[in-house]
Amino acid sequence: MPSPDAATRAPDGLVPVADGPLRDFAGAVFTACGMPEEDARLVADTLVQADLWGHQSHGVMRLPWYAARLRAGVVAPAAAPERVVDAGAICVVDGHDGMGQVLTARAMEETIARARAHGVGVAALRNSNHFGTAMYFTLMAARAGCVGFLSTNASPAMAPWGGRAKSVGTNPWSWAAPAGRHAPMVLDIANTAVARGKIYLAQQKKLAIPEGWAIDAAGEPTTDAAAALAGNILPMAQHKGYAIAVMMDMLSGVLSGSGFGKAVSGPYQFERPGRTGHFMIAFDIAAFQPLVEFGARMEALIAELKQVPLAKGFDEIVYPGEIEARNDTRHRAEGLMLPADTVADLVRLADETGCRSSCPF
């Protein structure tokens, strides 16, 4: 937790805060927006956890957006998921416009339970909403002794390869697995050169974005965040990122029976339901080999990666998820530093929702 004089030592434009009070405040806001207390705590935790991992683009910066959608009525505050297919290892769930984090957590719990019974569990979730960081939910599987996969579709952010009009979402996906004595190995990526939230964060911080992230509405390269948001985010690895994004929409949107392509609406507006779809898999490791043996083999894989000679300009080799695990430990001990614009948005939200007494700023 920051020391009493942390504010005087904070870098310009950043405000210190401890994760606990921030989590309590976010939970209070969601409760004020009509969410049941347990669900409110879950969604608050997903946001603060993203900040702890170092992913501010998916942290409490998004709290006002989520609150606006709840207050506008396009997201149902009390999630009421309905199982529409129940077929052994497979289930399909209609989320009826509930909060994405709540629906996804419940669906992942069911996916893990089905993996326990069948060796593999699969869930398709339709009519959901943005769920924050995908790794929050695949890590649920990893901590339960499973290999977890999760994909989602998203509102259009990039053009199909060769085009210049938005029709394809960033459509992120994640894998996670336990790694023996190490923190879990986890991948969480969008199929664009960068997650759209990072461009919103750059706009909030009044920073230029790197070349290669986006093009403007005229199709020209840009380093201006506002122009990038009005234009198109570029796919990662050119045509490969575009193709992977389309396949994730096939799983998350088409196969689940949810919205896909232009029918998906993002959390940046509060006029339309999300119609977001998700697709998740859990593999019970014990069905393949003893969990202890798997952990030892993962440790050997990580050791092999770290023994590779370093390239120029690098201090070490890290495995996927290692940086987030380190950030989590450090931020829990030292506290978080939030952009001043984010803090100003949160203070306004506290006043709007009657949560000023729980606001840590």
Side-chain angles (χ1 to χ4, degrees), residues 108 111-112 115 121 134-135 137-151 173-178 184-188 279-285 294:
M108 182 57 80
T111 304
I112 293 166
M135 65 184 282
F137 307 100
T138 54
L139 282 169
M140 291 172 58
R143 294 178 184 125
C146 296
V147 174
F149 170 79
L150 172 62
S151 67
W173 48 286
S174 172
W175 284 98
M185 182 177 287
V186 57
L187 169 72
D188 182 349
F279 186 82
M280 62 199 77
I281 309 172
F283 300 98
D284 184 8
I285 294 169
F294 178 84

Side-chain angles (χ1 to χ4, degrees), residues 26-275:
V29 169
F30 286 127
T31 301
C33 291
M35 292 187 66
E37 188 173 341
E38 183 178 354
D39 292 351
R41 286 199 305 267
L42 168 67
V43 183
D45 188 60
T46 67
L47 295 182
V48 176
Q49 183 61 68
D51 282 314
L52 289 168
W53 281 327
H55 297 305
Q56 287 189 336
S57 60
H58 286 65
V60 293
M61 179 185 82
R62 291 177 177 258
L63 179 57
W65 300 344
Y66 288 137
R69 288 178 59 73
L70 285 162
R71 295 165 75 191
V74 295
V75 175
E82 175 190 6
R83 190 185 299 115
V84 295
V85 173
D86 185 350
I90 297 171
C91 69
V92 179
V93 178
D94 191 324
H96 294 297
D97 299 319
M99 200 71 177
Q101 288 91 335
V102 177
L103 296 172
T104 307
R106 294 184 187 178
M108 182 57 80
E109 289 170 353
E110 182 159 349
T111 304
I112 293 166
R114 288 173 188 262
R116 289 271 187 268
H118 302 284
V120 60
V122 182
L125 178 55
R126 65 179 65 153
N127 296 322
S128 181
N129 282 284
H130 191 272
F131 58 38
T133 50
M135 65 184 282
Y136 187 94
F137 307 100
T138 54
L139 282 169
M140 291 172 58
R143 294 178 184 125
C146 296
V147 174
F149 170 79
L150 172 62
S151 67
T152 184
N153 56 15
S155 57
M158 64 175 167
W161 188 247
R164 60 185 180 92
K166 291 177 185 160
S167 67
V168 182
T170 59
N171 301 349
W173 48 286
S174 172
W175 284 98
R181 61 185 175 84
H182 300 291
M185 182 177 287
V186 57
L187 169 72
D188 182 349
I189 60 172
N191 298 299
T192 39
V194 65
R196 181 164 35 189
K198 294 187 184 299
I199 298 181
Y200 276 104
L201 185 63
Q203 182 183 43
Q204 191 177 75
K205 291 183 175 181
K206 300 176 177 59
L207 298 174
I209 61 172
E211 293 183 4
W213 276 15
I215 55 176
D216 62 20
E220 296 295 328
T222 184
T223 58
D224 180 82
L229 292 169
N232 284 277
I233 305 175
L234 294 172
M236 68 170 183
Q238 300 182 332
H239 63 283
K240 297 179 182 179
Y242 152 66
I244 296 171
V246 172
M247 297 305 285
M248 293 303 159
D249 201 6
M250 177 275 293
L251 287 174
S252 307
V254 179
L255 184 60
S256 73
S258 197
F260 57 86
K262 294 181 180 179
V264 180
S265 298
Y268 318 103
Q269 52 78 39
F270 50 91
E271 293 84 21
R272 300 176 301 280
R275 296 203 63 205

